[in-house]
Every structure is written in C-alpha cells, then in structure tokens.
C-alpha cells in the first residue's frame, strides 16, 4: 500500500484540476464520434444489455468499454446532466493513466521521484484535452499503460499467472480501442528479442485460442476488427509510409516538448526489457497509424491516434534521469528521427482546435510568425538541435543536478502547451457553431421534454435549409444527440443519412395504398418541409421546423410524391406527381383537398407553375395553391405538378458528393398539406 499512495494522490489531484476544466464543456464537438458513443451508452440503459446496439440493431463496435462506462452516467438522467457528469468522469478516468505510468517507472528505476516525473508527464500532455469529449481515447489511454505494465511484469518475471494477466490486459485494451490490437504483436516481439520464448507457454496457448476464435469470426463472414474492418483494405505499406512514419514521431515529440522524446529516445536504445518492449510498441503503433493516415487520413498527421506512445518516452525519460548519466552517441538516434520528421512535417493550420491533431494548435502561430511552413520547420529543427546541446551542456555543468533541471523544464514546456490547447478549445466556437461552454439543451432537448426520455421516436432526416449540407446534418445530429427518446432513424436508403453505417437506418417502402413496410412503437418526427411522403397521424407539436406525430398503427402514408428531386425541387422539364392515398376503410371515391406550397429559386423574379388544373405564379414569397383531388377506394388519387422554365438551384445535400455538384431546377416544393376533411363522392 506504501507504493500505491503516491500515484493515487497524484491521480486524484490531477483529476480534480482537469475535472474543473472539462466540466465547463457543455456541448458536443466531434461528430459523429460523440454521437456514436452516446447512442451505444444509451442503448445499454434502454436494452439492459452490454452488447453494442445503435438504433436497436447490433453493430460491430468492439470499442464497448467506454460506452459501458458512460451508461452509468447517462442512466435515468437527461442528456444535459449525463454529458456534464461524463466530462467530469472523463478527467478522472483519463488521468488514471498516472497510476500505471508511476508503477511501471518504479519497477524500472526503483525511484519514487522519477516515477512521479513520469506520471506527471503522462497526464500533462496536450492530448488530455480529449477528455473534453465523448471519445474512446479516455479509457484507451490508461488501458494502454496498464497493458504495458502487465507486459513488463510477465516479460521480467515469466509465469502462467503473469501471462494470463498480460492476456487479460491486452483484451481490455482492445475493448477500450480496437486500434490497440497492435499490442498483440508488441509483447511477442519483445519476448523474442529478450530471448525467453520457452518461459511463456501459457501466453502462447492463449494466443492460439485467440487465433482460433479469430479464424471462426472470419469463416462466418465477419471481420475480426468489427467496424474498423475497412482499415485492412488496400496496401498496408504505401509508398508514402516512410516520411509519414517520421512525421508522426515528430508530432509526438513536439507534444512532449522535445526533451522527453530526445532523452527518453536515447534511453530506449538499449537491451533493457522495458527499452525493448517500449521500442517495439513505438515502432508497431507508429507504423499502424502512419499507414492508416496515408491511406485514409488525407495525409494529415493525426496524432490523436498515436499519442499513446508519449508515456513510453516519458517513462524512458524518467528512467534516464534516475540515476542521471549523461547520454552519449545514443542522442543521435532520436535527434535524427526528429530532424527528419520535422523536415517533412506538414504542420497543418486549422481555424479551431482539431481533435485529430491536438499538437497542431501551435502550427498557426509558428507559420504566421516565422514566415510560413519552411520557417516553422526550420525553427523546430533548430530547437531540437539546441535541446540536444542543452542536455549535453547541462550534464557537464550541473552533474546530478541536471536531472532535476531537465525534469522541471520538461514539465513546464508540456504543461504550457496543454494550457494553450485548452485555451484554443474554449476561445473559438465549437464545430456545432456554438460556444462549447454554453449549454444548448434548453432549445435542443425539446423532444425529450415533449414525450419523455424513455419514449421511442423514429425520425426521418430531411433538409431544413436548402443546399447547406453541414447545417442540415448538424440539425439532425443535434436532434439525436440531445434527445434520448430519438431511438430510430428511417427514410429512403442513400438519402440524407448524414451518419455512417454504424448508425443503421430503416428503409421505408410504401405499397400502392401507402402502407409502410414496417411500424415502430412510439412517435414519428418529420421535417415540416419533407416532400417525399407524410406518415399519417396526429400532430402533437411543431417545433424547430419539425412535426412530432403520434402515428396511426400500422404505419401508412397519407400522401407521397414522385418525379421531384429528393429534397423537393422540381426537375428540369419533368412533371412531378403527388399521390394521395385512400384512408383505411374507405368504401367509395371521395374528394380530398391538398395544398401545395412553393418557392422560386433565388434571383428568379417569377416562375409559372401548374398544380393539377390550377395555374399559379411564384415570385418573391412562398405561394400556396389549394387543389381538389378525387381519391379512389383502392388506388391513389394523383395531382400533377408542372413548371415552366429552369435555372440554377442549390445543390442536393443527400450526401457530401452531391452537395458539391451544381444543378438546375424549377421551383422548390416547400410543403404539402392534406386536409383531414373528406368531401362528397366524386
């Protein structure tokens, strides 16, 4: 217990400090990642099952450890309350990485003060800003370090018990973040180099069982990486991998404030068990992330995926300080890596804090003050060379006191960078276009207030603002994120989904009488301007350009359209048709009244159109045309819409690709309303 109180005290103090900062965050920032983990957590609460579900469907998400943790704070609470508690809990969980970092350093150095330095560096890095969001990195960071600790224990003291503990730690790390499956190669690599293969029979048996299970998953047609299966496609060793490898290591070095990377990297050039394990981990994880970023990441160094190796250098840095021995030629290795990586680093500049690359917060300042990319690269290379010279000179001039000076300097630099990252996060509006510290739930959680958080609502995403892809997507992200009752997403496949395949959608189909192919319990939410179809039912409220409806059961549409663009604009030279369906139990032909409302495209003074037999002209304002239609008892009544002329109209926001393509059309059908009145026989 004597060994545990320092890291426990350190953890709680750091968690209290960080929690006061992350507790200020009151909105989402990373879509659709945060939405996914919130939905997974709420599904645990709704279904009382640890199996990952989204929209009521089992999904192949292996990262289930964090949603299980979140489920406890979202259970029986409003989303607003759950989000606040989650951000505070994030701080507590993420900085718990200080405990395994401390214990691992203590095993290596037997020095309490060196272990404190390693633990502080581990939780002071700029990547702790990620605890401000609902992301798996929160649990993956400490899980990674617990796995390294367990690996080191079995590497230095082989036994069946320690092999099993290492295997369990590996499983937990993978459940925390699938990406960490690469650790399954790090331990065998270290064992192979250290030369203790025969001492780990239990470990090899566990690996054999894992291989059999993995083979069974593949044989059944699934991917062992679940939703991350797509990352295995393509050439894993692309031509740009080598420069990306060094650039990724350079990003970690910058995030660490250079000194721990240089000194720790020099210490890792040895045959010490941790040096071997740490080097193998750094090599494998950097290769994995570099390969992913080159193939799928647009060439950006996404240090969010590689920051796990930062504590490896922090621990090695602390080990080099206790006892302090001035490094020699070994310093050339990390310096060469750093210089090469910085010379190739893209140093991207972003308007606001970028979650994928927290280290980039300093890029804008460097490029602005130092004459662009070349100047910033040169400055960082010079700083790296000076850092190495500082290490050498400090060792010569101060002797053993150099360890304390270097430790304090490293902590000051890293803490300052982290503080600046938080300042950037809070200073600029979030990705939702709102201050991240302002709670928007008063306006956005209206659905839960209307029906209760335990109710079930099926929502049909549809544009609410013409031609604005991200605004339309954010509208439905907000609706789902802030309302626990938003349980299912439905609509026409391939249109207005705005979330990836990890969010299953129900494909709606209507038969010739307007009957739907499925019916969910609860309520329906549709945009007021949805011109594709309308689910019949009683409108309970109209809020934020959407109707909340208590639908008739089983579901049916009282009208639908064909011939329009999927967002309600008329196509050039084409006719559109409004199909009005007979109501249940209708025995004869009846007369129904429909109102069709429309807008002209921007810049068009007037445009003539016809609805049924009624002609109208739309000018500056919305025009509504009432028309009667005769509806048979066993077929829809049809209203034809024709438009004279065409011009440029906003792009179709059905997906990101179509949102970038220009198109032409006639008018925008903004709303279709079917009167509940049934008139005489026609």
């Amino acid at each position: 217990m004597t060994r545990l109180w320092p890291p426990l005290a350190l953890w709680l103090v750091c968690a209290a400090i960080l929690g006061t900062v992350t507790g200020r965050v009151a909105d989402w920032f990373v879509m659709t990642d945060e939405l996914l983990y919130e939905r997974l957590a709420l599904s645990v609460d709704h279904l009382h099952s640890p199996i990952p579900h989204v929209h009521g469907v089992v999904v192949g998400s292996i990262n289930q450890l964090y949603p299980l943790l979140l489920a406890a704070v979202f259970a029986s609470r409003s989303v607003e309350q759950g989000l606040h508690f989650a951000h505070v809990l994030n701080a507590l969980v993420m900085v718990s990485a200080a405990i395994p970092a401390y214990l691992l350093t203590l095993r290596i150095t037997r020095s309490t003060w060196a272990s404190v330095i390693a633990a502080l560096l581990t939780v002071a890095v700029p990547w702790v800003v990620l605890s401000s969001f609902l992301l798996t990195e929160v649990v993956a960071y400490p899980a990674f370090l617990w796995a390294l600790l367990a690996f080191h224990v079995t590497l230095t003291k082989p036994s069946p018990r320690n092999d099993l503990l290492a295997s369990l730690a590996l499983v937990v790390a993978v459940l925390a973040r699938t990406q960490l499956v690469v650790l399954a190669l790090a331990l065998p690599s270290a064992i192979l180099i250290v030369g203790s293969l025969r001492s780990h029979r239990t470990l090899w048996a566990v690996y054999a069982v894992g291989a059999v299970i993995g083979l069974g998953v593949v044989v059944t047609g699934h991917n062992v990486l679940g939703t991350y299966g797509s990352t295995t496609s393509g050439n894993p060793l692309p031509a740009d991998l080598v420069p990306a490898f060094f650039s990724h290591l350079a990003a970690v070095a910058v995030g660490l404030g250079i000194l721990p990377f240089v000194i720790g990297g020099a210490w890792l050039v040895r045959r010490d068990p941790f040096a071997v394990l740490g080097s193998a981990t750094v090599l494998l994880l950097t290769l994995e992330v570099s390969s992913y970023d080159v193939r799928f990441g647009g060439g950006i160094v996404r240090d969010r995926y590689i920051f796990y190796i930062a504590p490896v250098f922090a621990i090695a840095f602390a080990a080099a300080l206790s006892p302090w021995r001035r490094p020699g030629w070994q310093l050339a290795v990390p310096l060469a890596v750093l210089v090469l990586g910085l010379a190739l680093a893209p140093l991207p500049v972003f308007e606001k804090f970028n979650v994928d690359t927290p280290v980039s917060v300093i890029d804008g300042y460097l490029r602005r003050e130092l004459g662009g990319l070349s100047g910033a690269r040169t400055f960082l290379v010079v700083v790296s060379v000076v850092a190495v010279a500082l290490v050498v000179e400090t060792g010569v001039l101060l002797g053993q006191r150099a360890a304390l000076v270097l430790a304090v300097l490293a902590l000051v630099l890293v803490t300052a960078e982290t503080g600046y990252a938080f300042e950037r996060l809070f200073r600029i509006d979030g990705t939702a276009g709102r201050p991240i510290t302002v709670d928007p739930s008063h306006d956005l959680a209206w659905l839960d207030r209307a029906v209760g958080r335990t109710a079930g609502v099926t929502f049909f995403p549809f544009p609410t603002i013409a031609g604005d892809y991200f605004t339309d997507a954010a509208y439905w992200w907000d609706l789902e994120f802030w309302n626990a009752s938003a349980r299912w997403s439905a609509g026409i496949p391939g249109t207005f989904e705005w979330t990836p395949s990890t969010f299953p959608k129900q494909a709606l189909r209507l038969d010739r009488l307007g009957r739907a192919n499925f019916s969910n319990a609860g309520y329906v939410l549709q945009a007021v301007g949805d011109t594709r179809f309308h689910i019949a039912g009683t409108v309970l409220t109209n809020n934020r350009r959407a109707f909340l409806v208590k639908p008739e059961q089983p579901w049916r549409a009282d009208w639908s359209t064909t011939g329009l663009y999927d967002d309600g604009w008329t196509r050039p030279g084409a006719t559109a048709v409004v199909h009005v369906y007979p109501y249940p139990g209708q025995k004869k032909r009846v007369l129904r009244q429909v109102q069709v409302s429309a807008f002209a495209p921007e810049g068009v003074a007037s445009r003539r159109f016809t609805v049924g037999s009624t002609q109208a002209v739309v000018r500056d304002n919305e025009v509504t045309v009432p028309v009667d239609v005769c509806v048979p008892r066993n077929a829809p009544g049809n209203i034809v819409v024709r438009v004279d002329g065409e011009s440029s109209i906003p792009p179709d926001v059905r997906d990101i690709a179509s949102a970038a393509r220009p198109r032409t059309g006639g008018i925008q059908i903004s709303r279709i309303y079917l009167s509940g009145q049934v008139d005489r026989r026609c």
Side-chain angles (χ1 to χ4, degrees), residues 42 93 98 125 137 147 221 229 250 265 271 285 290 295 360 403 502 546 548 595-596 647:
L42 288 172
V93 173
V125 291
E137 283 81 2
R271 285 188 62 85
L285 196 57
S290 301
R295 290 180 295 145
S360 68
T502 43
L548 177 63
Q595 294 180 359
V596 178
S647 55

Side-chain angles (χ1 to χ4, degrees), residues 21 34 75 164 166 217 226 281 342 386 431 452 525 528-529 560 612 618:
V21 180
E34 292 193 79
L164 289 174
V217 171
T281 301
L342 291 173
V386 170
T431 51
L525 190 78
V528 172
S560 69
V618 58

Side-chain angles (χ1 to χ4, degrees), residues 95-111:
V95 299
S96 72
I99 299 174
Y102 178 97
L103 296 176
L104 186 48
T105 309
L106 191 64
R107 285 182 56 85
I108 299 166
T109 66
R110 306 297 176 189
S111 168

Side-chain angles (χ1 to χ4, degrees), residues 67 69 133-134 161 191 345 380-381 473 481 510 532 557 591 648 665:
L69 184 67
F133 320 119
L134 306 184
R161 172 181 173 274
I191 291 173
L380 289 172
V381 168
F481 185 85
L510 304 173
R532 300 167 298 175
L591 198 65
S648 177

Side-chain angles (χ1 to χ4, degrees), residues 14-25 84 87-88 91 426:
C14 291
I17 295 171
L18 184 60
T20 61
V21 180
T22 59
R24 295 177 58 198
V25 179
H84 173 73
H87 288 147
V88 175
F426 291 127

Side-chain angles (χ1 to χ4, degrees), residues 28 31 39 77 126 163 229 238 260 270 276 382 499 536 570 572 638 646 654:
W28 58 262
M31 280 293 172
R39 292 292 108 179
R77 290 188 176 98
D163 279 355
R270 54 171 63 198
V276 172
V382 171
T499 50
T570 61
N638 298 323
E646 63 182 82
R654 61 181 295 160

Side-chain angles (χ1 to χ4, degrees), residues 342-664:
L342 291 173
L344 300 170
L347 303 181
V349 177
F350 302 97
E351 178 186 357
K352 53 174 63 76
F353 180 85
N354 189 296
V355 174
D356 284 345
T357 170
V359 170
S360 68
V361 292
I362 65 171
D363 293 347
Y365 175 81
L366 293 177
R367 293 177 67 164
R368 184 175 61 254
E369 299 296 326
L370 299 170
L373 178 59
S374 297
R377 285 173 170 172
T378 302
F379 172 78
L380 289 172
V381 168
V382 171
V383 167
S384 302
V385 174
V386 170
V388 171
L390 177 66
V391 171
V392 174
E393 287 298 319
T394 305
V396 171
L397 296 175
L398 300 179
Q400 287 298 314
R401 289 175 298 172
L404 180 60
V405 172
L406 292 170
V408 171
L409 184 57
L411 284 170
V412 169
L413 289 172
V414 172
T415 304
E417 189 173 354
T418 302
Y420 182 63
F422 271 112
E423 190 273 337
R424 278 287 301 276
L425 173 66
F426 291 127
R427 172 161 47 94
I428 304 172
D429 285 354
T431 51
R434 303 181 291 258
I436 196 171
T437 56
V438 176
D439 175 21
S441 63
H442 176 75
D443 294 323
L444 302 179
W446 65 273
L447 199 57
D448 278 1
R449 289 195 296 271
V451 298
R453 68 179 302 277
T454 59
V457 178
T458 303
F459 55 97
F460 291 86
F462 188 82
T464 57
I465 298 179
D468 194 333
Y469 178 86
F470 288 104
T471 299
D472 284 318
Y475 176 94
W476 295 97
W477 292 341
D478 272 332
L479 187 137
E480 185 170 6
F481 185 85
W482 289 104
N483 295 278
S485 56
R487 302 275 283 274
W488 302 283
S489 178
I492 310 301
T495 63
F496 315 126
E497 295 182 339
W498 293 316
T499 50
S501 58
T502 43
F503 294 81
K505 292 88 178 173
Q506 294 175 295
L508 180 72
R509 293 187 298 275
L510 304 173
D511 67 10
R512 66 185 186 88
L513 296 179
R515 295 173 296 198
N517 58 313
F518 67 89
S519 301
N520 293 333
Y523 305 86
V524 162
L525 190 78
Q526 278 194 270
V528 172
D530 195 335
T531 53
R532 300 167 298 175
F533 53 83
H534 180 263
I535 300 298
T538 303
V539 175
L540 302 182
T541 185
N542 175 357
N543 194 312
R544 290 179 52 80
R545 306 185 299 279
F547 284 132
L548 177 63
V549 177
K550 180 65 175 177
E552 298 177 8
Q553 294 287 351
W555 284 8
R556 66 179 184 89
D558 47 20
W559 59 261
S560 69
T561 62
T562 55
L564 294 170
Y565 282 117
D566 43 36
D567 59 350
W569 287 87
T570 61
R571 296 174 180 271
T575 59
V577 181
V578 180
H579 308 282
V580 180
Y581 297 106
Y583 57 83
Q586 182 175 323
K587 302 298 184 182
K588 58 184 179 180
R589 298 167 66 91
V590 296
L591 198 65
R592 305 294 301 273
Q593 186 183 74
V594 176
Q595 294 180 359
V596 178
S597 301
F599 282 104
E602 185 176 353
V604 174
S606 65
R607 180 151 290 164
R608 187 177 300 278
F609 67 104
T610 303
V611 180
S613 59
T614 303
Q615 292 187 346
V617 176
V618 58
R619 292 186 172 87
D620 296 336
N621 298 318
E622 183 181 41
V623 169
T624 298
V625 179
V627 61
D628 292 335
V629 58
C630 190
V631 182
R633 64 180 182 83
N634 56 1
N638 298 323
I639 304 170
V640 176
V641 179
R642 296 184 177 89
V643 181
D644 296 335
E646 63 182 82
S647 55
S648 177
I649 61 174
D652 189 349
V653 295
R654 61 181 295 160
D655 54 50
I656 191 67
S658 66
R661 290 194 295 264
R663 60 174 177 164
T664 59

Side-chain angles (χ1 to χ4, degrees), residues 104-135:
L104 186 48
T105 309
L106 191 64
R107 285 182 56 85
I108 299 166
T109 66
R110 306 297 176 189
S111 168
T112 299
W113 84 269
S115 302
V116 169
I117 294 299
L120 284 173
L121 277 175
T122 295
V123 298
V125 291
W127 297 285
V128 297
V129 178
L130 298 176
S131 59
S132 304
F133 320 119
L134 306 184
L135 297 173

